[in-house]
Amino acid sequence: MRGHSTNPAAIEAEIAHLRSLALDALRRHWRVIFGRTPPADLSKDLLGRMIAYRLQERAFGGLDRESLRFLDGLARHGGSPRRHLKPGTVLVRDYQGQRHTVTVVTDGFDWQGATYPSLSAIARAITGSRARRPLQAATETGLRGWGERTRTRESANEPCI
């Protein structure tokens, strides 16, 4: 392993070098960097990524306390925390050529004048199915795919882009 550097170009070159190494060479690098034998079931890709992260961490510093606390919470409680959307937040999603606008309200989600307890319930109403379709998958994975924009009730009629 090469000496420690804080030069971004040198770190980038070291990481590029890691990509060219065979699995046994990455395992040797791991032992040098982490001071222990790498877990047996880690893939070559994951070994390389973890070594690269450690090189960058040593050169440029690690995560701040807030990020470490957040990640620790994820590890302890499993999965990502539920997203808390403020009433008035407008979510926009196109599905089969039609734009659907949902507004977060105090007791759920408003879509087409009706209040639903969850985005999954709205997805079922839109698709007519409980099947895993793109819209429903988006609602089940933490709003992925929904454009989020906070607006006031007065601006709710404006287009959301």
Side-chain angles (χ1 to χ4, degrees):
M1 190 175 114
R2 301 172 186 152
H4 295 298
S5 173
T6 58
N7 176 347
I11 298 299
E12 190 174 328
E14 179 69 16
I15 291 170
H17 173 71
L18 289 173
R19 291 185 188 111
S20 69
L21 295 177
L23 182 59
D24 60 332
L26 282 172
R27 290 183 175 285
R28 285 192 299 274
H29 261 63
W30 178 286
R31 281 193 226 45
V32 170
I33 290 176
F34 291 96
R36 61 182 181 274
T37 303
D41 57 344
L42 286 184
S43 68
K44 177 183 172 187
D45 180 62
L46 193 52
L47 281 168
R49 287 173 185 266
M50 292 175 78
I51 293 169
Y53 177 81
R54 181 56 60 97
L55 291 172
Q56 293 173 48
E57 182 182 47
R58 283 183 178 172
F60 309 119
L63 296 172
D64 58 40
R65 284 186 185 160
E66 182 180 344
S67 297
L68 289 171
R69 216 175 3 257
F70 174 76
L71 291 172
D72 185 54
L74 290 179
R76 289 178 189 275
H77 304 336
S80 57
R82 290 196 56 112
R83 195 175 212 182
H84 297 287
L85 299 172
K86 295 178 183 178
T89 299
V90 175
L91 305 171
V92 178
R93 173 71 184 214
D94 291 334
Y95 178 72
Q96 293 186 346
Q98 187 176 357
R99 176 158 287 182
H100 298 276
T101 303
V102 175
T103 303
V104 179
V105 293
T106 307
D107 55 342
F109 301 90
D110 180 76
W111 176 67
Q112 295 186 342
T115 300
Y116 292 81
S118 68
L119 290 172
S120 294
I122 295 171
R124 282 191 295 279
I126 293 170
T127 65
S129 171
R130 294 183 72 94
R132 283 200 160 278
R133 295 188 181 176
L135 178 72
Q136 187 171 2
T139 64
E140 291 174 356
T141 57
L143 312 178
R144 189 176 300 136
W146 284 87
E148 180 181 336
R149 183 172 154 193
T150 302
R151 299 193 287 185
T152 62
R153 283 273 181 209
E154 293 77 41
S155 66
N157 292 327
E158 296 174 10
C160 183
I161 298 175

